Amino acid sequence: MATAERARNRVDTRDFLSVDGQLNDEELMIRDNVRTFVSAELLPRVPEWYELGTLDPAVARELGKLGLLGMHLTGYGCAGSSAVAYGVTCLELEAGDSGLRSLVSVQGSLAMFAIWRYGSDEQKNEWLPRMARGEAIGCFGLTESDAGSDPAAMRTVARRDGSDWVLDGTKMWITNGSIAEVAIVWARANEGVHGFVVPTDTPGFSANEVKGKLSLRASVTSELVLDGCRLPADALLPQAQGLGAPLSCLNEARYGIVWGAIGAARSCFESALEYSLGREAFDKPIAAYQLTQAKLAQMVVEVSRGHLLALQLGRLKDAGQIRPEQVSLGKLANVNAALGVAREARTVLGANGITLEYPVMRHANNLESVLTYEGTAEIHKLVVGNAVTGIAAFR
Ligand code: TGC
Ligand code: FAD
């Protein structure tokens, strides 16, 4: 065996710090199942979806069969897995594509979590089992075109008419919006923000797909229009009071992104490593040049550090001790790290790096959305800044 090959075999390039040695048997099994499913069933299809700017909604049922939708919730057909198992799942899905992780995040951590945490027994029984199986896709409508980072500025209104509720307004940038059977819609009423469970065949509800995205193309993003959308009294999420309710759902999805971003980064690193070992320039593999090795070494540092950070947050979450500002720190750090890795990896691949034949530019483009949604990097800096200074600088 060549010296270089011997040296390389001493480390696991996929998990340099042996972080997965901290996982229990169930978490390792879930990791392996999701990894195999992504590489065998999804990765062969992702480039085409990306090129077409779509995602086959039937994937939801496949993910449901694997028990990945709402997997960290208990009851109602949900698996009740650990937060770490859910994190590992997000990592492996996003190593495929951020759009896959987005589908699972929005379904399980936003739409299902909102019903599970704030819904009535009837709402839970009606929706959660079907959503867990992927037979009903959910979306989560908080953002509006003029109220993104500041959802308190939302203009969508809910007014009472007899015992009914009537919703009017427009939500924007809503993942899964036009493929959803059910929308969780947040709207302002006289007494504050309420959440509603809106079947998407309700008269007055419509969804229009956003076209022309250059990022997160293997994901459906939509505008939701609520035009005199009349709902029965029991569409209200009874336990959700005020803006804190939707914001608490965001913690769940942001936590998944902490892990997912490292999956995208790992995929970029692996692609750059493999390419650099095979590509020759000036009579040597480009991996043999110090400038390339500096890039690869920094990528390993970022992926390993981010992986450890994710595991620590997972352990805190499983112990019921995680705080929103810790999730913000994780999302901020890991998405920034992943973007850095993706951009650097792209340079290693030269011209090939800009094509769909390799995953790197796709991940780099996706991560621009991931940096923005679920709270922009600036918002998470302000959350961490608030936590350490005690001074809120959002306004
Ligand atoms: P503020 O006055 O600070 O808070 C209002 C109430 O909410 C509580 N709260 C939270 N509760 C739980 N978890 C959190 N992370 C919370 N953050 C705040 C807070 O305690 C308060 O409760 P109470 O009882 O005192 O009323 O609110 P603010 O208006 O000053 O805003 C704070 C800020 C900027 C942090 C918040 O607005 C924010 O997080 N903005 C970012 C919005 C955002 O992330 N939107 C994401 C939309 S969903 C999405 O992007 C899905 S992408 C899906 C995919 O993966 O494809
Ligand atoms: P803005 O809030 O207008 O921000 C623009 C810039 O100003 C950013 O850099 C921001 O950080 C900065 N800024 C804003 N306020 C401050 C401040 N106080 N201090 C300093 N800088 C500030 N939303 C949903 O509700 N559901 C979804 O399913 C969903 N899916 C999405 C999918 C995709 C692909 C994308 C791109 C977005 C999605 N979103 C969704 C919306 C997303 O959450 C918002 O885009 C995000 O919250 C930012 O809002 P904005 O785009 O309006 O930007």
Side-chain angles (χ1 to χ4, degrees):
M1 191 188 289
T3 316
E5 195 58 22
R6 265 205 311 276
R8 208 157 91 81
N9 284 348
R10 278 204 292 268
V11 297
D12 178 355
T13 52
R14 176 161 277 189
D15 182 15
F16 197 92
L17 289 179
S18 306
V19 179
D20 283 358
Q22 305 285 319
L23 303 182
N24 65 30
D25 288 347
E26 191 197 341
E27 290 157 356
L28 285 171
M29 187 189 70
I30 289 173
R31 178 200 70 179
D32 291 343
N33 287 346
V34 181
R35 189 179 283 176
T36 303
F37 176 70
V38 168
S39 74
E41 306 295 334
L42 298 181
L43 268 179
R45 295 188 272 169
V46 161
E48 189 189 346
W49 291 334
Y50 200 88
E51 191 144 39
L52 295 174
T54 189
L55 174 76
D56 182 356
V59 169
R61 284 176 190 255
E62 298 175 47
L63 295 164
K65 276 199 191 106
L66 287 175
L68 304 181
L69 302 176
M71 63 188 280
H72 58 308
L73 307 179
T74 49
Y76 310 97
C78 303
S81 305
S82 69
V84 169
Y86 173 57
V88 167
T89 297
C90 289
L91 189 154
E92 296 299 335
L93 287 170
E94 198 149 355
D97 192 88
S98 300
L100 302 171
R101 196 268 310 133
S102 259
L103 175 67
V104 168
S105 289
V106 170
Q107 180 82 349
S109 285
L110 294 180
M112 290 176 73
F113 179 82
I115 296 171
W116 182 84
R117 171 71 182 78
Y118 297 110
S120 64
D121 286 344
E122 291 73 26
Q123 290 165 339
K124 292 177 196 180
N125 285 318
E126 181 179 356
W127 290 105
L128 293 180
R130 275 196 285 154
M131 293 174 84
R133 291 194 297 271
E135 291 164 12
I137 295 179
C139 68
F140 183 90
L142 178 63
T143 303
E144 300 180 1
S145 53
D146 292 326
S149 298
D150 181 13
M154 72 172 70
R155 294 208 185 118
T156 298
V157 289
R159 67 183 163 79
R160 295 242 47 167
D161 186 20
S163 65
D164 289 349
W165 286 97
V166 179
L167 305 190
D168 282 287
T170 308
K171 297 289 173 180
M172 189 56 183
W173 303 112
I174 308 306
T175 301
N176 298 346
S178 33
I179 56 170
E181 273 77 27
V182 61
I184 305 302
V185 175
W186 301 94
R188 178 171 301 291
N190 285 339
E191 60 279 14
V193 170
H194 283 317
F196 296 89
V197 181
V198 185
T200 55
D201 58 4
T202 307
F205 178 97
S206 57
N208 305 306
E209 195 170 338
V210 175
K211 296 287 184 188
K213 286 183 299 169
L214 298 177
S215 169
L216 220 80
R217 289 181 56 75
S219 174
V220 174
T221 314
S222 312
E223 173 195 53
L224 309 183
V225 180
L226 300 135
D227 182 7
C229 182
R230 181 175 290 275
L231 298 163
D234 62 8
L236 179 80
L237 287 171
Q239 310 300 328
Q241 270 144 31
L243 193 59
L247 294 180
S248 75
C249 302
L250 301 185
N251 296 332
E252 300 297 307
R254 290 167 176 172
Y255 165 78
I257 292 174
V258 174
W259 286 85
I262 295 308
R266 189 190 72 192
S267 167
C268 292
F269 160 66
E270 288 183 328
S271 188
L273 176 62
E274 191 186 336
Y275 189 88
S276 69
L277 288 164
R279 173 75 178 180
E280 294 202 351
F282 302 98
D283 305 322
K284 281 199 296 194
I286 58 172
Y289 294 106
Q290 290 181 357
L291 287 175
T292 308
Q293 290 196 10
K295 293 178 185 179
L296 294 170
Q298 192 58 35
M299 289 181 216
V300 179
V301 168
E302 300 298 344
V303 170
S304 304
R305 192 157 48 192
H307 200 177
L308 276 173
L309 193 166
L311 182 66
Q312 167 63 5
L313 290 189
R315 294 292 180 234
L316 286 173
K317 191 161 167 52
D318 275 326
Q321 292 172 356
I322 198 164
R323 298 178 55 82
E325 53 270 27
Q326 293 171 326
V327 178
S328 282
L329 183 148
K331 200 238 172 199
L332 173 66
N334 280 7
V335 178
N336 270 332
L339 256 174
V341 169
R343 288 172 181 154
E344 199 73 299
R346 224 281 312 143
T347 69
V348 174
L349 273 77
N352 280 312
I354 71 158
T355 69
L356 259 177
E357 195 181 332
Y358 296 88
V360 177
M361 186 89 168
R362 178 166 54 76
H363 283 306
N365 284 354
N366 284 339
L367 287 165
E368 294 293 338
S369 284
V370 182
L371 186 71
T372 288
Y373 67 34
E374 291 291 354
T376 64
E378 291 78 7
I379 288 298
H380 291 298
K381 281 181 189 159
L382 292 171
V383 171
V384 173
N386 185 14
V388 295
T389 64
I391 304 168
F394 304 107
R395 295 171 195 285

